[in-house]
């Protein structure tokens, strides 16, 4: 938990208490507005110029009056770029409010004009009753959890506290007096507590349910996009499962799921039969429905055996694996789960491998490779997935993958293959996803449409999304699909049927994408631009800050348009979005055919440069999340089009990688920057010389790392190159050059002694 305080020079200090004892603190409760001071702003004095700084000063003044030192404000005490920290904060929020010495509620829409020391009730009651603070979902826990809650007007005038205003607050909110007075919430039934939030509003419909987690003492993953009803259903399952086996299934059950009966039966038989199989793999092309099959299986297992734990794990990269294991450790309350020095993956592995552990099923989704690499936003090195798999007969494991070799390596012959959907199953899937029933007169048209979509589930979902969003008939949609497909084939483009190969099948995703893009481009150019930008960066965890807009509302509206066509997966909890791999690839192919891919890649680099931070230590969470996008854009841009933006972004990436100790990666970029500077600006230009100096520094750090790892010969070779470069750039008498020369001499002597 981070807390703020002002030092003697009025500098704002952020202190991370981690596992240290947390001192008494106050919390500011407020409505977010434009110009809030964020965590990333604290690295410089510019935050004092933002409108939100007034709230910080107000909070500091109140803290001083109450003889406290520290205070907490959500806008600048949570690093929103650090997904692990953000997730932990969401699950800890109620406890943080409960433990606060004071909670100051800043009502920006309540004004007190009177000059008297104690404002008369008549001057503020009307606006107090109408304040939006009392209508928002997340402020419910901010009202109930703290023992002491004080209310202030937009001018900072104290109106009263939870005790003095108790009857009025009870009348406004409907929350019982005992709940306002801090009595145990166990006095109230689940339904009574849920009723307190019934008429409250949230930006995301799912938040109307998620805002109750602390009040109901429930922990469950957020899954934005599932809808309020599905979120409520999951919450009810968590409440009912309080006395049963702990489980983490981050997605709602898919009400539209149909078919795959034989595969489901095969998986259930192998997992629950007399001859139990502990390791299985589901393999098939992208978009065929592997994850949906695993999700349906997870819910079936839970239905049949309440004592069977099920944990869903994202195995797409080492960072996602870490986050999933952290959630499991927290759910199981494994001792040491919140110790940052502990390897959480080994902690979970050993816990689930214990003989007294309960029976469980682990689902490793998106397991494309056994060797998991970092997605770029942490210093985690590549790791072998097998090293983190529990070894126990009570722990069954399922992998989903498109890679047959990975499936064989992990599950041997215990593989369930998913192929093309049967026509009748595809028909049921389409009907389940459409908002209106398929009429008898439309049955033939539906069959033809499904043939055109090659019965691919993802294509069916996107077609249904278009039909629902545009409220068109099956015939109207299919005519557009056929026209677009014909145009693509006539142009003999890379989007033709013979060229659209995705993991061994011909994918219609490109054509359904074109149909959707035609409409989106006509109705919402900003949404189309977002999709083009997303095609030029890594497809996962695309931060919303990367997508420029005149206002947050304009950006959110554009994103909702893309979501309505099932082209993206929204992740409001992380302020990010994802693209399915088939959509991402099809978008790039389309832009390439239009000869616009290079232009949009340059646009992406320009936008990345605007949001990419300096390599200060305080910005590391932000640059770690942006690095995979910057590296993707740089690696897919033409070197001959090396403008200033590309060079500057490569430079920033190299600097941040160097700060993170990732010397192998940054060396490659430094060489690229140095060669480009030399070619474009000349060998003697300051930028070229600076690049060479940084490269020398990186080579020195890498050499020392190699030596520590026992690679003395490689270290000597690298320090030789470093010494030569420093001699040219810095001169033979520079301290760095002399230090490298002395190091080289020492290491050569060590090598000679070892060879004797």
């Amino acid at each position: 938990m981070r807390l703020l305080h002002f030092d003697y020079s009025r500098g704002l200090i952020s202190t991370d208490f981690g596992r240290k004892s947390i001192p008494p603190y106050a919390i500011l409760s407020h409505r977010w507005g434009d110009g809030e001071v964020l965590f990333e702003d604290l690295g410089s004095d510019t935050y004092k110029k933002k409108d939100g700084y007034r709230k910080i000063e107000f909070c500091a003044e109140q803290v001083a009056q109450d003889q406290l030192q520290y205070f907490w404000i959500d806008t600048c005490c949570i690093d929103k770029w650090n997904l692990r920290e953000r997730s932990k904060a969401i699950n800890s929020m109620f406890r943080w409010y409960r433990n606060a010495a004071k909670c100051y509620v800043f009502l920006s829409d309540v004004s007190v004009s009177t000059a008297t020391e104690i404002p008369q009730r008549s001057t503020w009651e009307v606006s107090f009753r109408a304040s939006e603070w009392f209508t928002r979902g997340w402020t419910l826990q901010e009202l109930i959890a703290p023992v002491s809650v004080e209310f202030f007007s937009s001018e900072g005038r104290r109106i009263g506290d939870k005790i003095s205003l108790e009857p009025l607050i009870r009348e406004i909110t409907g929350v019982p007096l005992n709940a306002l007075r801090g009595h145990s919430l166990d006095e109230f039934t689940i339904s009574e507590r849920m009723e307190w939030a019934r008429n409250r509003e949230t930006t995301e419909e799912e938040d109307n349910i998620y805002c109750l987690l602390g009040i109901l003492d429930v922990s469950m993953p957020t899954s934005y996009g599932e809808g309020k009803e599905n979120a409520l259903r999951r919450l009810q399952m968590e409440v009912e499962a309080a006395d049963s086996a702990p489980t983490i299934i981050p997605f709602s059950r898919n009400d539209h799921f149909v078919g795959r009966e034989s595969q489901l039966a095969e998986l259930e038989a192998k997992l629950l039969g007399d001859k139990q199989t502990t390791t299985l793999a589901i393999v098939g092309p992208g978009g065929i429905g592997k994850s949906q099959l695993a999700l349906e299986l997870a819910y079936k297992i839970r239905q049949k055996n309440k004592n069977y734990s099920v944990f869903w794990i994202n195995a797409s990269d080492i960072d996602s694996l870490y986050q999933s294991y952290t959630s499991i450790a927290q759910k199981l309350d494994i001792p040491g789960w919140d110790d940052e020095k502990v390897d959480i993956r080994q902690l979970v592995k050993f816990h689930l491998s214990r003989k007294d552990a309960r029976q469980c099923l682990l689902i490793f989704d998106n397991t494309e490779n056994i060797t998991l690499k970092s997605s770029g936003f942490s210093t985690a090195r590549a790791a072998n997935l097998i090293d983190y798999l529990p070894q126990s007969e009570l722990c069954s494991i399922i992998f989903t993958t498109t890679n047959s070799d990975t499936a064989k390596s992990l599950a041997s012959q215990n593989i369930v293959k998913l192929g093309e959907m049967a026509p009748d199953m595809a028909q049921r899937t389409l009907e389940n996803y459409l908002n209106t029933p398929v009429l008898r007169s439309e049955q033939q048209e539906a069959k033809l449409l499904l043939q055109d979509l090659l019965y691919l589930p993802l294509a069916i979902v996107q077609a249904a999304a278009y039909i629902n969003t545009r409220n068109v008939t099956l015939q109207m949609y299919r005519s557009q699909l056929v026209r677009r497909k014909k145009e693509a084939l006539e142009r003999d483009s890379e989007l033709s049927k013979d060229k659209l190969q995705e993991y061994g099948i011909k994918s219609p995703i490109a054509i359904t994408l074109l149909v959707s893009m035609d409409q989106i481009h006509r109705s919402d150019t900003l949404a189309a631009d977002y999709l083009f930008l997303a095609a030029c960066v890594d497809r996962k965890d695309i931060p919303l800050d990367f997508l420029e807009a005149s206002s947050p509302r304009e950006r959110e509206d554009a994103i909702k348009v893309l979501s309505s066509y099932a082209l993206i997966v929204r992740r409001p909890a992380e302020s990010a979005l994802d693209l399915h791999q088939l959509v991402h690839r099809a978008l790039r192919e389309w832009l390439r055919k239009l000869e616009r891919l290079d232009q949009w890649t340059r646009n992406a680099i320009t936008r990345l440069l605007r949001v990419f931070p300096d390599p200060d230590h305080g910005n590391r969470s932000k640059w770690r999340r942006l690095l995979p996008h910057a590296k993707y854009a740089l690696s897919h841009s033409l070197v001959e089009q090396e403008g200033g933006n590309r060079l500057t972004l490569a430079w920033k990436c190299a600097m941040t990688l160097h700060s993170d100790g990732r010397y192998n990666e940054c060396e490659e970029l430094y060489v690229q920057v140095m060669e480009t500077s030399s070619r474009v600006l000349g060998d003697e230009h300051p930028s070229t010389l600076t690049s060479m100096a940084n490269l020398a520094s990186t080579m020195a750090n890498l050499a020392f790392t190699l030596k520590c790892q026992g690679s003395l010969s490689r270290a000597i070779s690298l320090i030789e190159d470093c010494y030569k470069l420093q001699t040219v750039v810095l001169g033979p008498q520079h301290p760095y050059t002399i230090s490298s020369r002395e190091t080289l001499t020492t290491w050569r002597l060590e090598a000679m002694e070892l060879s004797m």
Side-chain angles (χ1 to χ4, degrees):
M1 183 182 193
R2 287 192 183 87
L3 294 175
L4 301 172
H5 76 278
F6 278 102
D7 60 17
Y8 294 109
S9 61
R10 292 296 294 170
L12 187 61
I13 307 298
S14 174
T15 303
D16 188 352
F17 283 88
R19 292 179 61 81
K20 295 182 289 186
S21 177
I22 299 175
Y25 62 91
I27 281 184
L28 178 71
S29 174
H30 65 117
R31 293 288 317 286
W32 279 47
D34 295 333
E36 296 290 352
V37 177
L38 306 178
F39 172 78
E40 61 197 84
D41 296 326
L42 300 182
S44 65
D45 287 337
T46 55
Y47 64 83
K48 294 182 179 179
K49 300 177 182 178
K50 302 186 80 170
D51 292 341
Y53 183 63
R54 186 170 68 92
K55 296 180 186 178
I56 295 177
E57 288 187 307
F58 157 77
C59 193
E61 291 172 4
Q62 296 306 316
V63 164
Q65 290 180 22
D66 290 325
Q67 298 182 327
L68 297 170
Q69 181 180 4
Y70 293 96
F71 55 98
W72 186 90
I73 305 178
D74 56 358
T75 49
C76 49
C77 287
I78 301 174
D79 183 358
K80 69 171 185 175
W81 292 93
N82 188 324
L83 299 185
R84 297 171 189 168
E85 179 180 326
R86 191 167 184 159
S87 175
K88 187 176 180 180
I90 290 174
N91 284 287
S92 304
M93 202 76 70
F94 189 84
R95 174 166 49 87
W96 289 351
Y97 275 96
R98 176 71 84 188
N99 294 337
K102 292 275 188 178
C103 178
Y104 308 128
V105 179
F106 186 85
L107 302 174
S108 57
D109 54 356
V110 176
S111 179
V112 177
S113 56
T114 179
T116 58
E117 183 176 349
I118 302 177
Q120 296 297 313
R121 183 164 178 152
S122 60
T123 65
W124 53 261
E125 182 174 351
V126 173
S127 57
F128 185 83
R129 285 178 176 274
S131 175
E132 289 191 1
W133 190 89
F134 290 108
T135 69
R136 308 302 296 177
W138 286 104
T139 57
L140 179 61
Q141 65 178 358
E142 297 165 21
L143 172 66
I144 292 174
V147 175
S148 175
V149 180
E150 298 183 0
F151 296 88
F152 296 83
S153 71
S154 59
E155 298 87 3
R157 304 285 301 281
R158 189 179 187 278
I159 296 173
D161 57 29
K162 190 161 65 168
I163 296 175
S164 64
L165 300 174
E166 194 176 74
L168 181 58
I169 294 172
R170 167 76 176 94
E171 183 183 340
I172 295 171
T173 64
V175 177
L177 294 179
N178 281 354
L180 293 174
R181 292 169 180 171
H183 287 216
S184 172
L185 295 181
D186 290 337
E187 293 182 12
F188 308 94
T189 65
I190 297 296
S191 58
E192 284 175 330
R193 282 178 267 175
M194 294 180 69
E195 181 67 19
W196 302 341
R198 187 167 64 88
N199 294 320
R200 289 179 174 254
E201 300 174 356
T202 55
T203 302
E204 303 295 334
E205 61 172 311
E206 297 87 354
D207 278 334
N208 198 263
I209 304 301
Y210 301 155
C211 71
L212 289 164
L213 295 181
I215 293 171
L216 298 178
D217 194 22
V218 167
S219 174
M220 76 177 196
T222 56
S223 180
Y224 290 95
E226 65 178 328
K228 180 180 176 181
E229 293 305 316
N230 284 328
L232 176 59
R233 192 182 312 163
R234 280 204 302 132
L235 177 64
Q236 290 170 335
M237 285 181 59
E238 288 290 337
V239 171
E240 293 169 2
D243 297 325
S244 60
T247 288
I248 297 179
I249 306 175
F251 311 107
S252 300
R253 193 169 191 171
N254 185 358
D255 293 332
H256 304 303
F257 183 87
V258 295
R260 305 296 191 192
E261 288 88 356
S262 61
Q263 290 91 347
L264 270 173
E266 180 182 357
L267 288 166
E268 283 190 78
K270 289 184 175 181
L271 288 173
L272 304 176
D274 295 334
K275 296 182 179 179
Q276 183 179 335
T277 304
T278 56
T279 306
L280 298 161
I282 303 173
V283 65
I288 204 70
K290 300 179 296 298
S291 297
Q292 292 302 315
L293 175 61
L295 183 63
E296 180 64 17
L297 176 68
Y299 278 102
K300 278 184 170 291
I301 293 289
R302 284 290 293 163
Q303 273 184 337
K304 292 185 176 181
N305 192 340
K306 297 295 184 183
N307 293 320
Y308 206 119
S309 288
V310 179
F311 296 113
W312 191 281
I313 298 165
N314 184 349
S316 58
D317 54 65
I318 195 64
D319 303 289
S320 299
L321 183 81
Y322 182 98
Q323 182 61 44
S324 296
Y325 271 48
T326 300
S327 298
I328 295 172
Q330 182 179 5
K331 187 76 172 181
L332 296 175
D333 197 22
I334 303 174
W337 75 265
D338 55 349
D339 186 345
E340 295 183 0
K341 296 181 181 179
V342 170
D343 186 339
I344 203 75
R345 294 158 297 189
Q346 292 293 348
L347 190 70
V348 170
K349 171 187 174 180
F350 291 133
H351 181 86
L352 296 179
S353 300
R354 288 166 38 185
K355 292 183 178 180
D356 60 345
R358 67 168 72 240
Q359 197 170 16
C360 69
L361 169 64
L362 305 184
I363 298 174
F364 287 81
D365 195 25
N366 297 317
T367 314
E368 297 309 309
N369 295 288
I370 295 176
T371 301
L372 301 182
K373 297 180 180 179
S374 169
S375 63
F377 57 84
S378 84
T379 55
R381 299 292 185 243
N384 192 316
L385 176 60
I386 296 175
D387 293 338
Y388 303 111
L389 300 180
Q391 303 297 318
S392 170
E393 293 182 357
L394 295 175
C395 184
S396 299
I397 298 174
I398 290 180
F399 304 96
T400 70
T401 180
T402 63
N403 191 321
S404 297
D405 292 335
T406 298
K408 291 176 183 177
S409 298
L410 292 170
S412 187
Q413 301 302 313
N414 298 315
I415 296 174
V416 175
K417 295 183 179 179
L418 285 193
E420 185 180 277
M421 290 184 88
D424 61 330
M425 189 194 308
Q427 175 92 11
R428 287 160 58 195
T429 300
L430 176 64
E431 291 176 352
N432 277 358
Y433 275 96
L434 290 174
N435 290 341
T436 56
V438 177
L439 303 176
R440 181 176 298 180
S441 60
E442 295 179 305
Q443 291 294 327
Q444 183 61 28
E445 196 68 38
K447 291 180 180 179
L448 293 174
L449 174 61
L450 292 169
Q451 289 176 13
D452 291 332
L453 298 177
L454 303 182
Y455 308 111
L456 186 67
L458 180 61
I460 295 171
V461 170
Q462 292 183 344
Y466 183 100
I467 293 169
N468 292 336
T469 301
R470 298 297 306 153
N471 194 26
V472 298
T473 64
L474 289 173
Q475 183 179 17
M476 292 170 63
Y477 179 78
R478 183 171 174 266
S479 66
Q480 295 181 58
L481 190 78
V482 171
R483 177 178 59 83
R484 262 308 196 171
K485 189 175 182 179
K486 182 179 179 181
E487 290 173 356
L489 289 169
E490 286 176 350
R491 288 198 305 263
D492 193 28
S493 74
E494 293 180 75
L495 295 175
S496 66
K497 184 176 180 180
D498 293 334
K499 297 290 184 179
L500 287 171
Q501 299 289 336
E502 298 287 353
Y503 301 101
I505 62 171
K506 298 174 181 178
S507 171
I509 297 299
I511 306 301
T512 57
L513 173 67
L514 292 179
V515 173
S516 296
M517 284 302 301
D518 282 345
Q519 181 59 43
I520 294 171
H521 205 272
R522 285 196 298 268
S523 62
D524 197 318
T525 55
L526 184 63
D529 288 351
Y530 284 174
L531 213 51
F532 296 152
L533 282 172
C536 300
V537 296
D538 192 84
R539 68 178 184 84
K540 296 185 298 181
D541 189 35
I542 302 172
L544 298 190
D545 283 7
F546 171 66
L547 307 174
E548 199 167 22
S550 59
S551 69
R553 173 50 57 190
E554 183 184 46
R555 179 171 57 197
E556 182 62 21
D557 289 344
I559 290 171
K560 285 182 177 179
V561 168
L562 298 177
S563 180
S564 69
Y565 286 93
L567 296 177
I568 63 168
V569 177
R570 299 173 63 239
R571 296 170 54 185
E574 294 87 12
S575 296
L577 57 86
D578 294 342
L579 260 67
H580 193 283
Q581 58 183 345
L582 301 188
V583 174
H584 188 260
R585 187 167 181 176
L587 269 170
R588 292 185 61 80
E589 294 296 332
W590 187 44
L591 287 172
R592 184 179 288 111
K593 179 60 185 175
L594 296 177
E595 299 183 351
R596 296 173 62 189
L597 183 59
D598 291 341
Q599 178 59 53
W600 276 104
T601 300
R602 289 195 294 272
N603 292 345
I605 288 174
T606 299
R607 181 59 193 153
L608 280 166
L609 192 57
R610 290 177 187 165
V611 296
F612 205 94
D614 294 326
D616 297 328
H617 183 72
N619 293 329
R620 67 189 183 281
S621 294
K622 185 174 183 178
W623 84 54
R624 286 173 180 171
R625 283 187 68 189
L626 288 170
L627 262 174
H629 303 294
K631 290 168 69 177
Y632 187 96
L634 290 171
S635 64
H636 288 81
S637 61
L638 299 176
V639 177
E640 56 267 25
Q641 295 178 344
E642 51 203 15
N645 286 344
R646 188 186 189 283
L647 190 63
T648 305
L649 183 60
W651 168 264
K652 280 195 167 188
C653 287
M655 293 285 285
T656 55
L657 288 167
H658 188 280
S659 298
D660 248 355
R662 296 158 69 172
Y663 303 125
N664 279 317
E665 296 174 76
C666 76
E667 181 186 10
E668 180 183 349
L669 278 175
Y670 272 140
V671 170
Q672 185 182 123
V673 171
M674 181 185 69
E675 291 177 348
T676 303
S677 296
S678 177
R679 183 167 56 254
V680 177
L681 304 174
D683 292 340
E684 302 300 321
H685 193 278
S687 294
T688 305
L689 296 174
T690 301
S691 300
M692 294 171 70
N694 280 313
L695 176 60
S697 175
T698 299
M699 293 167 69
N701 285 319
L702 184 56
F704 277 98
T705 301
L706 289 170
K707 185 176 183 296
C708 292
Q709 294 172 347
S711 303
L712 183 57
S713 60
R714 292 178 60 198
I716 290 174
S717 176
L718 203 57
I719 204 70
E720 283 177 345
D721 294 340
C722 173
Y723 170 59
K724 292 175 183 177
L725 193 57
Q726 287 173 329
T727 302
V728 174
V729 179
L730 305 175
Q733 301 306 314
H734 192 279
Y736 290 170
T737 309
I738 294 172
S739 176
S740 294
R741 184 171 65 236
E742 292 174 348
T743 299
L744 179 59
T745 302
T746 302
W747 289 1
R748 281 173 173 169
L749 288 172
E750 286 185 31
M752 289 175 62
E753 292 175 0
L754 290 172
S755 64
M756 292 181 180

